[in-house]
Amino acid sequence: PYAYAEILVKYAEMYNQAYICVESNDHGSLVNHTIVKELEYDNIYSESFNDIDKIGLKTTKKSKRLGCTHFKDLLEGGKLQVYDDNTIQEICRFEEKSGTYAASSGYNDDLVMTLVIFGY
């Protein structure tokens, strides 16, 4: 998680102090803590910098649904174009499951979930 945080901050700084939004579920909370507390990078999504559990985006059914809706609107509105073949394949296999969204069985959704968080 520390190495990942360093990479995120390095590229965020290269791109004009870009805004970072890391999923805070599981190991993401450690990445977020490292970004804010150790690397002292403040341009990160947070509900509250006073509560370490509120740094980053907690992915829930509600936040994922909102992110998916905005991501879909960006694609359909021509405001976002995806050229990467691997990402396109994941988008094609991303579906609604039990009130949430995920990859079809046997496939991954890591690349498309990055865009869902972006949509959020």
Side-chain angles (χ1 to χ4, degrees), residues 49-106:
F49 283 103
N50 296 326
D51 184 350
I52 194 66
D53 293 329
K54 303 250 180 177
I55 298 173
L57 174 64
K58 180 72 83 176
T59 303
T60 63
K61 284 184 178 184
K62 182 180 178 182
S63 65
K64 191 184 283 189
R65 188 172 38 254
L66 183 59
C68 286
T69 299
H70 289 184
F71 171 52
K72 182 177 183 243
D73 290 345
L74 289 169
L75 282 177
E76 291 177 347
K79 295 178 181 175
L80 178 66
Q81 295 182 8
V82 179
Y83 296 100
D84 178 67
D85 290 334
N86 293 325
T87 305
I88 292 168
Q89 290 299 316
E90 282 194 14
I91 292 169
C92 292
R93 295 181 178 108
F94 195 68
E95 61 188 22
E96 186 174 2
K97 286 185 173 182
S98 304
T100 188
Y101 294 89
S104 301
S105 296

Side-chain angles (χ1 to χ4, degrees), residues 24-25 29-30 32-33 37 46-58:
S24 62
N25 304 37
S29 60
L30 182 55
N32 288 321
H33 178 271
K37 300 296 183 185
S46 177
E47 292 179 34
S48 169
F49 283 103
N50 296 326
D51 184 350
I52 194 66
D53 293 329
K54 303 250 180 177
I55 298 173
L57 174 64
K58 180 72 83 176

